[in-house]
Amino acid sequence: MEPLRTVAGRAYPLGRPDVDTDTILPAAYLKTITRTGLARGAFEALRRTPGNVFDDPAFAGAPILIAGANFGCGSSREHAAWALLDLGIRAVIAPSFADLFASNAFKNGIVTVELSQPSVDRLTAVARGGTLRVDLETMTVTSSTSDAFAFTMDPFRRESLLLGRDEIALTLGSEAAIARHEASGVVEPIVAL
């Protein structure tokens, strides 16, 4: 996982609540085990609507998505997070997220920022013509129109994103302790608290 300190640029002003994982990536695209090429199926149903934000050249390559409440509800498919990454999205701002989606997003290096509905509404309006910046070090979302919204995040997730440390890297960080345990011949598992 790449370290993530800031995500800045244009943002897709989706704003819609209850976007489920099937809307993010339909089941027809779940046959792959690779993480690339999924952007072509991302938000397929929404893209059928003329004038949608995903096919608007003004937002092409935007690294931020602004959504409504309960983003990522539905199934636990990790492919939804993979599709967002393949679309170039590294941060999603919404009033709330489904827990499984937020977990999958974190594990794939996507920052999920929860802000109040009025804050999300303001950023959605700003995103139509301006830019946003999500800063994990200062825990703020700022806009090109001088808005600034503080957010909170689980400290473990924040540190892991800042350091680019996923579960594999975390385990490898304990490699010496694991090797000592294996060499000791003790059969009880290591329990780290």
Side-chain angles (χ1 to χ4, degrees), residues 10 59 124-131 144:
R10 298 299 304 266
F59 305 112
T124 301
V126 169
R128 296 195 182 283
T131 58
S144 56

Side-chain angles (χ1 to χ4, degrees), residues 10-167:
R10 298 299 304 266
Y12 295 103
L14 180 60
R16 175 186 288 223
D18 302 317
V19 173
D20 63 23
T21 52
D22 198 50
T23 301
I24 298 170
L25 189 69
Y29 294 93
L30 302 183
K31 297 173 186 167
T32 183
I33 55 170
T34 65
R35 298 177 183 205
T36 58
L38 296 174
R40 65 184 164 83
F43 301 103
E44 183 179 73
L46 299 180
R47 286 181 147 160
R48 290 187 197 123
T49 303
N52 73 81
V53 296
F54 298 105
D55 291 329
D56 186 331
F59 305 112
I64 302 169
L65 172 68
I66 305 173
N70 200 28
F71 185 80
C73 59
S75 75
S76 62
R77 66 184 68 161
E78 190 174 12
H79 293 68
W82 296 353
L84 293 181
L85 275 178
D86 202 40
L87 199 57
I89 294 172
R90 294 296 311 269
V92 182
I93 301 169
S96 63
F97 294 90
D99 287 343
L100 284 172
F101 172 80
S103 177
N104 286 336
F106 159 68
K107 290 176 181 177
N108 284 282
I110 298 172
V111 61
T112 53
V113 177
E114 287 190 22
L115 292 175
S116 68
Q117 186 65 57
S119 301
V120 169
D121 292 343
R122 170 65 184 155
L123 292 175
T124 301
V126 169
R128 296 195 182 283
T131 58
L132 304 181
R133 179 182 178 92
V134 176
D135 190 322
L136 273 176
E137 292 185 293
T138 62
M139 303 287 284
T140 56
V141 177
T142 54
S143 75
S144 56
T145 54
S146 301
D147 297 286
F149 301 102
F151 64 89
T152 60
M153 176 180 282
D154 174 83
F156 172 76
R157 287 186 177 185
R158 176 178 178 260
E159 184 178 337
S160 295
L161 288 167
L162 284 169
L163 297 174
R165 187 179 57 193
D166 59 15
E167 291 170 332

